[in-house]
């Protein structure tokens, strides 16, 4: 009589095999997660640059209607905000999310005066831009709204005087002095400080002007400025920045 041997198939992992699998998964995650974050960050930056370009186009359309770019004396406010910031001027000039009682126009867009006449704007599609308060709270639509980037930070706007000033052969002011080329006081200095504005604009010796020995980064009629992927304005501890503007940051500060 022969004894029958029954063989059972072994299922499952040994502890060593399980640790190897876990190690492979951790390794893959360590590779894929940073790649995913970088891809997401690059996509967000591309989106913001596209928005900046849309704002540039909208500003040119505004200028075609009014023969100038929006300024602190812009009639789009109708006296609703005293000494408005550049970010508020930009939002109200290009979208104008004010109530009809303020300017006579229902919904985005504005009238120059009263309740009669042509409705101007909106120069930007309201459904493609976030606007409201800088902290991301509910919009008030009272003249204090700003255009917001994906990080709920305001898109800053600085407009240069015309004609641009010059002092002793210098190319122009960049600090908050009388007749400043880009006056840092046009926006909240706690967001983007005067010193940072000067540095990024090429005032390397912080003299308050672009000297004849210095080269301005940009001398256009206005600045558009918002945060990059770090969600913060200005320079990091290494003097670098990923901010997104309507001009190219110099290699010395570009992150």
């Amino acid at each position: 009589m022969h004894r029958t041997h029954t063989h059972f198939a072994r299922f499952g992992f040994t502890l060593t095999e399980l640790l190897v699998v876990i190690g492979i998964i951790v390794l893959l995650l360590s590779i894929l997660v940073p790649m995913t974050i970088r891809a997401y960050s690059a996509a967000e930056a591309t989106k913001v640059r596209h928005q900046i370009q849309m704002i540039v186009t909208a500003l040119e359309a505004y200028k075609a209607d009014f023969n100038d770019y929006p300024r602190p004396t812009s009639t789009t406010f109708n006296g609703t905000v005293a000494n408005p910031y550049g970010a508020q001027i930009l939002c109200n000039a290009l979208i104008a999310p004010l109530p009809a009682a303020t300017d006579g126009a229902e919904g985005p867009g504005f009238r120059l005066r009263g309740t009669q006449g042509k409705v101007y704007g909106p120069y930007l599609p309201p459904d493609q831009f976030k606007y409201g308060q800088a902290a991301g709270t509910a919009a008030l639509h009272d003249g204090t709204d700003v255009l917001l980037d994906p990080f709920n930070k305001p898109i800053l706007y600085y407009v240069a005087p015309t004609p641009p000033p010059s002092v002793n052969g210098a190319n122009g002011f960049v600090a908050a002095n009388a007749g400043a080329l880009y006056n840092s006081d046009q926006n909240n200095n706690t967001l983007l400080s005067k010193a940072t504005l000067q540095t990024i604009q090429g005032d390397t010796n912080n003299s308050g002007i672009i000297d004849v020995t210095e080269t301005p980064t940009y001398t256009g009629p206005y600045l558009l400025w918002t945060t990059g992927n770090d969600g913060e304005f200005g320079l990091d501890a290494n003097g670098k920045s990923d901010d997104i503007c309507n001009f190219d940051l110099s290699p010395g500060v570009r992150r």
Side-chain angles (χ1 to χ4, degrees), residues 122-173:
Y123 295 94
L124 288 173
D127 59 335
Q128 294 185 32
F129 280 82
K130 292 194 298 182
Y131 56 92
Q133 301 305 294
T137 57
L140 298 178
H141 303 326
D142 62 352
T144 63
D145 291 348
V146 297
L147 297 177
L148 299 170
D149 67 15
F151 308 98
N152 285 325
K153 296 296 179 68
I155 298 176
L156 306 183
Y157 171 69
Y158 303 84
V159 61
T162 54
S166 62
V167 177
N168 298 326
N171 293 315
F173 288 101

Side-chain angles (χ1 to χ4, degrees), residues 41-249:
S41 297
E44 286 294 298
T46 299
K47 177 182 177 182
V48 175
R49 290 189 183 95
H50 176 63
Q51 289 182 328
I52 292 293
Q53 187 55 51
M54 291 179 68
I55 294 173
V56 168
T57 301
L59 284 170
E60 294 305 317
Y62 181 98
K63 183 183 179 184
D65 278 343
F66 299 105
N67 300 314
D68 195 9
Y69 297 106
R71 296 187 180 277
T73 56
S74 172
T75 55
T76 62
F77 281 94
N78 292 303
T80 58
V81 178
N83 301 317
Y85 283 138
Q88 295 167 339
I89 293 169
L90 185 69
C91 182
N92 282 275
L94 300 186
I95 291 183
L98 296 172
T102 302
D103 59 11
E106 184 64 43
F110 60 91
R111 299 180 195 274
L112 287 180
R113 52 189 173 272
T115 60
Q116 303 298 318
K118 177 182 177 180
V119 177
Y120 292 91
Y123 295 94
L124 288 173
D127 59 335
Q128 294 185 32
F129 280 82
K130 292 194 298 182
Y131 56 92
Q133 301 305 294
T137 57
L140 298 178
H141 303 326
D142 62 352
T144 63
D145 291 348
V146 297
L147 297 177
L148 299 170
D149 67 15
F151 308 98
N152 285 325
K153 296 296 179 68
I155 298 176
L156 306 183
Y157 171 69
Y158 303 84
V159 61
T162 54
S166 62
V167 177
N168 298 326
N171 293 315
F173 288 101
V174 293
N177 301 314
L181 182 57
Y182 303 117
N183 190 331
S184 66
D185 287 340
Q186 288 183 1
N187 288 277
N188 189 338
N189 283 331
T190 62
L191 296 175
L192 183 65
S193 69
K194 180 174 73 174
T196 298
L197 181 65
Q198 290 178 208
T199 298
I200 292 181
Q201 280 300 298
D203 182 22
T204 55
N205 61 6
N206 291 315
S207 64
I209 62 174
I210 298 292
D211 302 313
V212 293
T213 59
E214 297 171 324
T215 302
T217 305
Y218 177 74
T219 57
Y222 56 82
L223 297 179
L224 296 170
W225 204 304
T226 189
T227 66
N229 294 317
D230 62 2
E232 299 294 336
F233 287 99
L235 307 173
D236 62 17
N238 298 316
K240 300 292 184 178
S241 176
D242 69 343
D243 290 359
I244 298 174
C245 311
N246 63 321
F247 63 93
D248 290 331
L249 297 179

